[in-house]
């Protein structure tokens, strides 16, 4: 549940997942490509904490939002 995760921990999970996707996309793990190098460099510059914090804040806002959306 995103509302109970700490932003730092969620950020690490997001970063690990993104790096895993990049690493799974290479054809020969013994010969990394320039594309992989660029992708990993890009991922190292991402502010994973900020992304996680926004995800948690959005989840909290959604959980607190009224469920009745009728125009009464």
């Amino acid at each position: 549940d995103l509302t109970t995760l700490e932003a730092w921990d969620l950020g690490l999970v997001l970063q690990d997942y993104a790096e895993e996707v990049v690493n799974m996309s290479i054809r020969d793990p013994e010969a990394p490509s320039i594309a992989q190098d660029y992708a990993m460099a890009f991922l190292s510059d991402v502010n994973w904490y900020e992304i996680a914090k926004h995800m948690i804040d959005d989840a909290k806002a959604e959980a607190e939002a009224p469920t009745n959306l009728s125009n009464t």
Side-chain angles (χ1 to χ4, degrees):
D1 183 14
L2 289 179
T3 60
T4 60
L5 286 177
E6 295 292 323
W8 182 258
D9 293 334
L10 178 57
L12 292 175
V13 170
L14 294 171
Q15 181 179 12
D16 287 344
Y17 177 75
E19 289 175 355
E20 183 178 331
V21 169
V22 168
N23 288 327
M24 287 176 34
S25 69
I26 61 170
R27 293 193 175 131
D28 184 4
E30 300 299 320
S33 69
I34 192 166
Q36 181 188 13
D37 292 342
Y38 275 114
M40 295 305 281
F42 168 77
L43 293 178
S44 72
D45 288 338
V46 172
N47 188 338
W48 297 104
Y49 173 81
E50 184 177 328
I51 292 171
K53 181 76 172 115
H54 283 285
M55 289 177 69
I56 291 169
D57 290 344
D58 288 347
K60 285 180 181 178
E62 188 174 309
E64 295 170 357
T67 56
N68 185 358
L69 299 176
S70 64
N71 294 331
T72 56

